[in-house]
Amino acid sequence: MADELLVAKQRFELPELRLTGGGTLRDVAVGFETYGALNAARDNAILVCHYFSGTSHAAGRYRPDDPLPGYWDAIIGPGKAVDTDRYFVIASDTLTNLNAYDPDVVTTGPASRDPATGRPYGLAFPAVAIADFVRVQKALVESFGINRLRAVMGPSMGGLQTFEWAASYPDAMERIIPAIAAPNFNGWLTGWLSMWAQPIKLDPAWRGGAYYDHAPPSAGLEAAMRIMTLHALHSDWTDSAGGRAVADGADPTDVASAPFAIDKTLEDAVRLRAPMADANHMLYLARANQTYVPGAGGGATSVAEGLARIKAPALMIYAPDDLVFLPEWVEATAKTLSGQGVAVETAKLSGPYGHYNGIVRIAEAGKRIADFLARDF
């Protein structure tokens, strides 16, 4: 741990944010962290955007005894693919971050107090778009005096934010590295996101979103997170999680129980994370993903219109076994961008984790990322 990258969460505030869908959100705050140093020319900055259930904790540890580092620590740090001896890396929490009760997360969302009433917003919080996440990020980046980023990158929902940056602010970055993401998804993913959200709405404790003075809808939220987790993993992963085996001591004839090893694995995976999460925040995140259009922050009204605005060279990283952002969507996006003259490269990740290969196996693309960042375009 002696050479461990130690980082601190910082806070960024905006007095107001004009939302893509109309209206204004006041007293906006998000957390962020940085790695490396900004050079005198302010041209070595890279923005990293996080995935649906993630946070700005992309690398390093907050404390030496933290059990795990940030999610992309394998590629961010001194001498790594995103070399913090060379680049200044910024990562920020999104609005409506799922982990609203994590002490290392700062996020404005439904669980926040409305400055006009002093009470949690609940469903009175305005609908937000991924373009709004990016508007906050752009203000954060500009607060450092940075006018043009070396790169924007991120996995999954972070990849959607990357495409939004490239479509709404095409001159604000030199290149993009979206991972395990594609902007041209169809109703398959829209339906899955509704499935993720449904257990929350079916939990009586949800109370139509007005649960902040009562016990939260924990059962619904945990069920939602189990569905999300299983969807993001490939079937090959289940072989290491018990396969079809019955859990120790369980009775497979008891139809009222969840007696299989895979059930316990998913429950264990969610149990520690769920207390940090907020159910309404998950609903808002799901809707922001479902309504995503690249370039919405710049006025685009369709995926085709948004993609047509992108001109930054792209390295698109994907997992062929991804069941969230299907590989054919990624390949189609790459073909579209290439057809309009954008320099596009693709890199594949292997492994049994499906969509999660973009987190746990990202080091496979490390050399491609390092070379892409270092190249002059």
Side-chain angles (χ1 to χ4, degrees):
M1 292 286 187
D3 296 327
E4 190 69 49
L5 178 66
L6 293 179
V7 299
K9 178 58 66 78
Q10 301 174 67
R11 183 184 182 94
F12 176 70
E13 297 182 351
L14 282 174
E16 66 176 36
L17 173 69
R18 293 189 178 183
L19 299 171
T20 307
T24 299
L25 188 61
R26 302 194 183 281
D27 297 342
V28 174
V30 297
F32 73 98
E33 50 197 75
T34 65
Y35 326 102
L38 185 62
N39 64 15
R42 301 181 187 274
D43 62 0
N44 68 329
I46 294 173
L47 178 72
V48 176
C49 310
H50 68 71
Y51 55 100
F52 187 100
S53 61
T55 74
S56 62
H57 195 37
R61 284 176 164 84
Y62 294 126
R63 294 158 287 273
D65 59 350
D66 283 352
L68 293 172
Y71 64 89
W72 262 7
D73 188 76
I75 60 167
I76 300 173
K80 298 179 182 179
V82 184
D83 187 353
T84 52
D85 289 333
R86 180 175 185 177
Y87 304 114
F88 176 63
V89 181
I90 305 170
S92 76
D93 297 327
T94 62
L95 295 172
T96 69
N97 189 283
L98 179 61
N99 308 280
Y101 306 115
D102 184 333
D104 291 315
V105 167
V106 179
T107 182
T108 296
S112 305
R113 294 193 178 276
D114 181 346
T117 66
R119 297 182 55 77
Y121 281 99
L123 296 194
F125 193 78
V128 290
I130 285 178
D132 297 317
F133 302 171
V134 169
R135 284 184 174 180
V136 177
Q137 292 164 2
K138 191 168 189 294
L140 169 60
V141 167
E142 290 174 345
S143 74
F144 286 93
I146 299 166
N147 296 318
R148 185 171 168 84
L149 291 158
R150 180 74 174 181
V152 180
M153 60 192 299
S156 193
M157 187 182 79
L160 297 186
Q161 293 167 75
T162 299
F163 282 115
E164 168 59 24
W165 264 94
S168 281
Y169 311 106
D171 296 315
M173 79 294 300
E174 295 180 12
R175 67 206 76 202
I176 58 172
I177 309 177
I180 52 171
N184 59 328
F185 60 85
N186 62 21
W188 164 263
L189 182 53
T190 303
W192 266 110
L193 287 161
S194 292
M195 291 291 288
W196 293 8
Q198 191 67 5
I200 292 170
K201 297 177 181 179
L202 293 176
D203 187 335
W206 181 55
R207 297 173 177 264
Y211 54 81
Y212 293 105
D213 292 330
H214 306 274
S218 298
L221 176 59
E222 289 181 13
M225 293 177 71
R226 288 197 297 273
I227 293 172
M228 175 181 69
T229 301
L230 185 59
H231 180 204
L233 288 159
H234 192 266
S235 63
D236 289 348
W237 164 83
T238 62
D239 294 336
S240 65
R244 296 179 59 186
V246 175
D248 290 343
D251 179 3
T253 66
D254 181 2
V255 297
S257 69
F260 297 98
I262 186 65
D263 299 320
K264 185 175 187 307
T265 298
L266 291 170
E267 288 172 0
D268 290 345
V270 165
R271 185 171 292 114
L272 294 177
R273 296 162 51 206
M276 301 291 186
D278 181 80
N280 282 339
H281 281 229
M282 185 160 186
L283 300 183
Y284 275 72
L285 283 172
R287 187 54 54 91
N289 280 262
Q290 288 173 313
T291 58
Y292 174 71
V293 172
T301 58
S302 70
V303 173
E305 183 183 353
L307 290 179
R309 299 182 179 195
I310 294 176
K311 52 187 183 180
L315 172 60
M316 299 180 62
I317 302 170
Y318 69 108
D321 293 329
D322 192 340
L323 299 177
V324 179
F325 285 101
L326 303 184
E328 52 263 40
W329 300 341
V330 177
E331 292 162 355
T333 296
K335 183 177 180 180
T336 296
L337 293 177
S338 180
Q340 64 193 40
V342 176
V344 180
E345 304 172 26
T346 60
K348 297 180 182 180
L349 301 172
S350 65
Y353 304 105
H355 187 62
Y356 279 133
N357 282 323
I359 306 297
V360 300
R361 301 299 288 268
I362 191 62
E364 284 190 0
K367 188 177 186 308
R368 293 288 302 277
I369 292 169
D371 291 346
F372 186 76
L373 288 174
R375 193 178 313 155
D376 291 325
F377 287 98

